Every structure is written in C-alpha cells, then in structure tokens.
C-alpha cells in the first residue's frame, strides 16, 4: 500500500473525533438542554422547534452553495483545508456560546434563533469540506470503503465519547457544578477545545489527490447546484432514501431515548450513558469490518439481512416496554434491543454513504463533470434536515404526551440550585418526587414512537433502494472502465 495512502487512512478519520463530539452535543442534546434548564410554555417550545426547522430549510440552499464555493476554491492548501480551519474555529465559538448564556423566556428564544442560524453556517463550512475530501482521497471502490468506514468508525468514537460524557456530567449525582446550566457550559467548553485539536490531524497530515478533473471556471450559483442534482437521477433517489434512513436512525438519540430513560428509570445520567453506549457498541464491529464484509456480501443482500434483524429488535423493544414491569431487567432488555436495531441502521448508513459518493463517477459518466463537492454537500444537508425533522417529531411527541409538564418542574429545581436557593441533594430528592408523578401513558407513548417510526422508515428506505438505485457493484465497476477508456482516448 502507498505510504501516503496509509498516512491518509489514519489522519483523515482521526480528524473527525472532536467534530462529532461537538455535533452530538449541539444536535442531540440542545433540545434536552433547553427542556431541563428552561421553563417553557407550549408556544416557546414550538417557536424553538420552528427555528430549528427553518434553519435546516436555510441549509437547503446553504449546503450546496457551500459545496459549490469549495469546488471553485483555488489555494496553495487545496480547496478543502482553508474551509476546514475557518469552519471548525467558528463552530467551536458558536457551540460554547449556545450552552453558556443564561437567558430565560422569550429573550432566550430570540438568542436561540440567532445562535442556531450561526451554527448552520459555521458547521456547514467544515462538514462539507471534511466529507468532500473522500473522492479526492480514493477513486476505487475498495479505498473508498476504507476511508468511509474508518471515518465513520472514528466519528462513532467521538459520538460515543460524547454520549458517555454529556449525560453523566450534566444529569444526576455527578453533575458538574451541581446544576445542569453550569454542567452544559463546562462540557461545551471542553468539546470546543478538543474539536480543533483533533482536526489538526486532517489539516496537517492528509494530502488529497489533485489530479482528478474539476469543473474549471464554473460559477457559484443556485442554477449550477440545481442542474447538478437534477441531471443525476441516482443522486436524487439516494438523497430521498438517505433522508428517510437518517430520520429513523436518529429518533431515539434525538431526545426521545433520554427522556424515556429518565422518566422510566430515574434522573441519573449514568443510566442514559449506559443505554446510548451499549446501543452503539455493536456498530463499532461493523465499522471496523465493513470493508471485509462488503467484499463478501453485496450491499443489497446485506441490507436485507440487516432489515430483518432491526425489525425483530424493534418488535422486542415494544414488547419489553409494554409487558415488563419497571426494573433493571427491563432497562437491559430495552438497551439490548436498541443495540441490535442500531446495528442494522448503521449498516444502512454505511451503504448510503458509499452510494452517495459513487454518484460522483455516475455524474462524470453521464454529464461529463464530477462536481464532487456539490454532490458531497448533499450528505451533510440531508443529515441536518433529518435532524430538524427529528426535532419536530420529538417536540410534537412531547406536547402530545405532556412531557413539558414534567420537565418544567425539573428545570425550576435546576434553576434554584444554580441560584443557590436549594442544595444539590435537595434538588435530586425533589426531582425524584416529580418523576414519581409520570403517568404510564407518557412512557408508553414515548417508547412506541421510538420503535414504530424508525421501523417504518427503515422499511421504506429498503424498498426504494431495491427499486430505484442501480449503481450496484457491477454497474459501478463498468462505469469506471468506461471512464478509464475515455481518458485513454
């Protein structure tokens, strides 16, 4: 193996560990932070939800435009690394501020709107730059499998570390500073320092291939973006499929899972850390061995096996949630069901990632241009759009099941602790009393949404992929041969 390729295979994935810690904090815990540190009316909760959705709709233009800007960037450091530096530094500042300003009520809602909009811009800069490098690091299917699976593995490491650290240090007896507001601020500061440090591996250690054809002289504009997407039918289909899959995979970690665990088993961050960590543990095996698995099992066949496993796990999760009495045995049953369902979901995620990247060569084959940064920009856009839809579905679930009635009481106790009006021990005792008032329909409703919706979306994604995505292993290899023949001529 080429020496530079070996170096890239380590330094590229290492760079994403801190980025994904920041991403997990802001994407999967911002609503939880708001719920447990602010007393919200239904109108304020819906305003925050609308802000999230609108900012993600803004990304519908911002992400591909950013991809086009990167595509047209020419510098001595390449087209990706300048935006990696600008993006990660600005994202770190924005995330720290988001969790550190102690406003309440409508002033907080206004501040939230501004900071969420800024996050949409800053994270996009470095996220599209990072994943846009993959086609420039490896052209053949095997090397892309390696880069994609390794980067996803290290992203999973960052997400897992965040999933352990955040709830453990912000909820329950191990809360840093004794209250949620101080704890989230400290965690945000830590992650905002780690993210740029980890990305230095990619910025200083990775060298991309600059010999691939580019769309020289292309202008930055919406027309170019729309044309690139519209003229690539495989990109359109995989975008729809990926969006469905992303909504399903994030429903539990988007807030419903943590709220269910706290309501059903107690206000202790260690419990949710265990739940989320065990839930993604099996995916580490898949991420490490995916290149080996993909060499032996074709993608569509693998998806079929994973679908059956996930559907069985979701069904058992519902059975445990409905039939078993509340105990640690029930906790472990639900946690293990989540682990196996998540294993199938992550197999789908890896297949989707590679399927999006492979449309670069299809675009070159069909339209004569690669437009790799524009195509790569769809993945982070769809991820962000799916997270907004997850937030919308989560907020509607909270309102439907009266979750804010409970969280507002907990938030009040957290604020009293922050002001020194009560001790941490008094806070925890009072929260225990509040949680004893949780109704059975509330926990039942949460676990039904957590299981049924992801199962339905995963099934829809599978059916659409089987019917409409044609770039399987054989077709992709055929396209590569045609492109090679064109270059020889």
């Amino acid at each position: 193996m080429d020496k530079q390729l070996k170096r890239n295979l380590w330094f590229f994935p290492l760079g994403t560990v801190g980025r994904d810690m920041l991403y997990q904090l802001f994407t999967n815990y911002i609503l939880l932070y708001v719920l447990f540190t602010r007393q919200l009316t239904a109108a304020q909760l819906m305003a925050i939800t609308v802000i999230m959705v609108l900012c993600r709709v803004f990304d519908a233009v911002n992400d591909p435009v950013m991809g086009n800007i990167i595509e047209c960037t020419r510098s001595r450091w390449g087209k990706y690394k300048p935006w990696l530096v600008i993006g990660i530094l600005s994202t770190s500042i924005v995330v720290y501020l988001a969790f550190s300003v102690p406003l309440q009520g409508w002033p907080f809602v206004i501040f939230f709107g501004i900071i969420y909009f800024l996050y949409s811009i800053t994270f996009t800069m470095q996220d599209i730059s990072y994943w846009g490098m993959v086609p420039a690091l490896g052209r053949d299917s095997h090397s892309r499998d390696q880069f994609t699976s390794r980067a996803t593995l290290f992203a999973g490491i960052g997400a897992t570390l965040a999933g352990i650290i955040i709830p453990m240090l912000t909820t329950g007896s191990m809360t840093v500073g004794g209250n949620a507001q101080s704890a989230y601020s400290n965690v945000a500061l830590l992650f905002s320092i780690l993210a740029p440090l980890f990305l230095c591996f990619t910025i200083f250690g990775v060298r991309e291939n600059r010999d691939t054809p580019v769309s020289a002289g292309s202008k930055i504009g919406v027309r170019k973006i729309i044309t690139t997407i519209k003229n690539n039918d495989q990109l359109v289909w995989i975008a729809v499929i990926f969006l469905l899959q992303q909504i399903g995979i994030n429903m539990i970690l988007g807030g419903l899972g943590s709220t269910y665990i706290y309501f059903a088993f107690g206000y202790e961050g260690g419990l949710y850390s265990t739940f989320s960590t065990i839930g993604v543990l099996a995916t580490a095996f898949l991420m490490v061995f995916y290149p080996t698995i993909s060499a032996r099992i074709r993608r569509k066949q693998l998806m079929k096996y994973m679908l059956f496993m996930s559907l069985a796990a979701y069904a058992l999760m519902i059975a445990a949630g409905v039939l078993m009495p509340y105990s640690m045995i029930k906790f472990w049953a639900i946690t293990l069901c989540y682990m196996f369902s998540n294993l199938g979901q992550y197999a789908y995620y890896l297949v989707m990632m590679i399927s999006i990247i492979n449309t670069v060569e299809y675009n070159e084959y069909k339209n004569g241009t690669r437009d790799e940064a524009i195509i790569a920009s769809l993945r982070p856009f769809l991820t962000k759009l799916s997270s907004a839809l997850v937030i919308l579905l989560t907020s509607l679930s909270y309102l439907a099941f009266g979750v804010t009635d409970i969280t507002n009481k907990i938030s009040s106790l957290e604020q009293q602790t922050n002001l020194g009006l009560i001790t941490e021990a008094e806070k925890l005792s009072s929260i225990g009393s509040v949680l004893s008032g949780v109704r059975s329909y509330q926990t039942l409703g949460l676990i039904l949404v957590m299981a049924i919706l992801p199962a339905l979306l995963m099934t829809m994604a599978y059916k659409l992929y089987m019917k409409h995505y044609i770039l399987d292993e054989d077709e992709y290899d055929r396209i590569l041969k045609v492109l090679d023949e064109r270059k020889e001529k």
Side-chain angles (χ1 to χ4, degrees):
M1 184 184 293
D2 179 76
K3 183 178 180 181
Q4 186 60 48
L5 179 60
K6 288 182 180 179
R7 183 183 176 94
N8 287 351
L9 280 171
W10 282 108
F11 283 5
F12 178 73
L14 271 171
T16 198
V17 175
R19 286 183 348 102
D20 276 86
M21 294 175 78
L22 271 185
Y23 177 79
Q24 288 295 319
L25 175 62
F26 197 92
T27 302
N28 289 337
Y29 289 89
I30 189 71
L31 184 58
L32 200 66
Y33 162 75
V34 172
L35 282 174
F36 287 95
T37 62
R38 304 297 190 273
Q39 291 177 276
L40 300 172
T41 64
Q44 289 168 347
L45 176 59
M46 285 309 301
I48 286 173
T49 303
V50 169
I51 287 168
M52 291 179 168
V53 174
L54 289 180
C55 284
R56 293 319 191 194
V57 170
F58 165 77
D59 277 344
V61 176
N62 183 38
D63 275 21
V65 166
M66 190 67 231
N68 207 356
I69 292 173
I70 294 169
E71 189 72 28
C72 297
T73 297
R74 302 291 182 267
S75 77
R76 60 181 295 187
W77 303 282
K79 59 185 178 182
Y80 302 109
K81 292 182 180 180
W83 295 107
L84 283 176
V85 174
I86 296 170
I88 196 61
L89 293 177
S90 55
T91 299
S92 296
I93 294 171
V94 167
V95 171
Y96 174 69
L97 291 175
F99 289 91
S100 302
V101 176
L103 296 173
Q104 295 286 340
W106 286 108
F108 171 75
V109 174
I110 295 171
F111 165 78
F112 184 87
I114 296 170
I115 209 72
Y116 208 95
F117 175 75
L118 291 175
Y119 174 82
S120 298
I121 296 174
T122 60
F123 192 85
T124 294
M125 291 179 188
Q126 46 95 8
D127 196 42
I128 292 177
S129 303
Y130 182 82
W131 290 106
M133 292 182 75
V134 173
L137 298 177
R139 184 168 177 267
D140 64 277
S141 181
H142 179 66
S143 65
R144 287 189 180 176
D145 280 352
Q146 287 181 302
F147 279 110
T148 302
S149 60
R150 282 202 188 187
T152 306
L153 170 63
F154 280 82
I157 291 172
T160 301
L161 289 173
I164 295 171
I165 293 170
I166 297 169
M168 188 172 292
L169 298 185
T170 60
T171 308
S173 58
M174 294 180 63
T175 302
V176 177
N179 64 88
Q181 177 62 65
S182 298
Y184 273 104
S185 180
N186 289 326
V187 170
L189 177 61
L190 173 64
F191 289 3
S192 296
I193 294 172
L194 290 176
L197 291 178
F198 271 102
L199 200 56
C200 286
F201 286 107
T202 300
I203 294 168
F204 297 110
V206 169
R207 181 183 301 169
E208 70 266 27
N209 177 17
R210 300 182 189 177
D211 296 329
T212 53
V214 296
S215 307
S218 60
K219 295 182 179 179
I220 300 169
V222 175
R223 179 179 295 180
K224 169 66 175 175
I225 297 165
I226 294 175
T227 301
T228 299
I229 297 172
K230 185 178 70 172
N231 291 341
N232 191 327
D233 58 296
Q234 292 301 289
L235 182 61
V236 173
W237 277 114
I238 200 62
V240 173
I241 296 165
F242 184 69
L243 179 62
L244 293 174
Q245 191 272 336
Q246 282 293 287
I247 296 172
I249 196 175
N250 289 315
M251 280 305 301
I252 291 179
L253 290 182
L256 290 176
S258 55
T259 305
Y260 174 79
I261 294 298
Y262 295 151
F263 279 19
F265 303 104
Y267 190 69
E268 184 57 58
L271 281 177
Y272 184 62
S273 291
T274 302
F275 172 81
S276 60
T277 302
I278 297 296
V280 300
L281 188 62
T283 64
F285 169 85
L286 181 64
M287 293 172 194
V288 171
F289 292 102
Y290 181 77
T292 303
I293 294 172
S294 65
R296 290 169 171 77
I297 304 177
R298 301 174 75 84
R299 287 192 289 271
K300 290 187 176 181
Q301 188 178 14
L302 177 63
M303 289 177 68
K304 181 179 179 180
Y305 296 153
M306 294 294 102
L307 176 66
F308 290 153
M309 182 181 66
S310 292
L311 292 181
Y314 284 127
L316 291 173
M317 183 186 294
I318 293 174
V322 173
L323 301 176
M324 295 181 69
Y326 290 105
S327 64
M328 287 307 297
I329 295 177
K330 179 174 183 173
F331 170 81
W332 282 108
I334 291 174
T335 300
L336 291 175
C337 288
Y338 171 55
M339 180 184 72
F340 284 106
S341 67
N342 208 39
L343 178 60
Q345 289 279 14
Y346 261 83
Y348 270 46
Y349 173 73
L350 287 172
V351 170
M352 297 300 108
M353 289 279 289
I354 294 164
S355 299
I356 291 174
I357 292 171
N358 286 350
T359 62
V360 171
E361 280 70 32
Y362 181 75
N363 198 68
E364 185 181 357
Y365 166 76
K366 185 178 180 182
N367 303 313
T369 58
R370 290 172 66 83
D371 296 317
E372 56 195 33
I374 296 175
I375 291 173
S377 72
L378 276 185
R379 186 210 59 80
F381 158 62
L382 293 168
T383 301
K384 295 173 188 177
L385 179 59
S386 69
S387 71
L389 295 174
V390 168
I391 290 293
L392 176 61
L393 293 169
T394 301
S395 296
L396 292 175
S397 299
Y398 286 163
L399 293 173
F401 304 129
V403 169
T404 52
D405 296 339
I406 304 297
T407 58
N408 279 342
K409 295 176 182 178
I410 295 175
S411 174
S412 176
L413 293 167
E414 291 281 9
Q415 291 173 36
Q416 291 177 52
T417 309
N418 189 30
L419 295 173
L421 300 178
I422 60 175
T423 65
E424 184 180 6
E426 291 172 331
K427 179 197 75 173
L428 293 174
S429 176
S430 298
I431 289 176
S433 299
V434 170
L435 291 177
S436 66
V438 174
R439 304 287 185 87
S440 59
Y441 81 88
Q442 293 175 308
T443 52
L444 178 61
L446 289 173
I447 200 166
L448 287 177
V449 175
M450 285 165 52
I452 293 176
L453 191 56
L456 290 175
L457 292 172
M458 191 177 187
T459 303
M460 290 174 61
Y462 172 77
K463 290 183 176 297
L464 289 175
Y465 192 90
M466 293 297 119
K467 184 175 181 179
H468 296 289
Y469 190 78
I470 64 172
L471 298 178
D472 58 14
E473 290 83 349
D474 293 337
E475 178 64 10
Y476 180 73
D477 289 341
R478 185 190 70 81
I479 288 173
L480 284 183
K481 290 178 181 179
V482 172
L483 292 176
D484 288 338
E485 291 172 0
R486 288 180 185 175
K487 289 176 183 178
E488 289 177 3
K489 293 179 182 179

